[in-house]
Amino acid sequence: MLFKFKSQATSDLIMLEADARRLLKIILGDDPVKGIVQSNDLSRAIAALESAVAQDESDRKQVAKKAQALNSGEDDESAPLKSVSLAQRAAPMLKLLKRCLLEKSDVVWGV
């Protein structure tokens, strides 16, 4: 399933269900299939998402340090591929939210 986020301030943002639900849980505390973030709540939503991104980056650095310490004797080619970070997943949503904040526009999805 896809989530389509709409606003009068930006073009539509389409995300896969798992990624959208993860971001909605961070922003709202739950992950409704239909909903709205009103313009007066955008500052709080942006702050929550930026805080989660910062925490995720900190966690990823700690995990990378531990992995590097464990693999110090192995060559770099044996290291697994890194997964997509929350910062990468959240970047389009943050851009949308910030633009909507500037233009005082609501964000809706599932309608």
Side-chain angles (χ1 to χ4, degrees), residues 96-109:
L96 177 132
L97 294 173
K98 288 177 180 180
R99 179 70 181 266
C100 290
L101 181 64
L102 287 174
E103 298 191 22
K104 297 181 179 157
S105 178
D106 299 337
V107 177
V108 296
W109 61 95

Side-chain angles (χ1 to χ4, degrees), residues 54-110:
Q55 182 62 45
D56 182 66
E57 289 299 315
S58 174
D59 294 346
R60 289 173 68 84
K61 286 180 184 176
Q62 288 178 351
V63 169
K65 284 182 184 178
K66 288 180 184 177
Q68 186 178 17
L70 291 174
N71 295 331
S72 61
E74 298 179 18
D75 50 328
D76 291 337
E77 292 181 23
S78 65
L81 295 175
K82 295 180 181 167
S83 64
V84 179
S85 70
L86 180 61
Q88 291 169 307
R89 294 284 186 214
M93 179 64 80
L94 278 170
K95 185 176 179 181
L96 177 132
L97 294 173
K98 288 177 180 180
R99 179 70 181 266
C100 290
L101 181 64
L102 287 174
E103 298 191 22
K104 297 181 179 157
S105 178
D106 299 337
V107 177
V108 296
W109 61 95

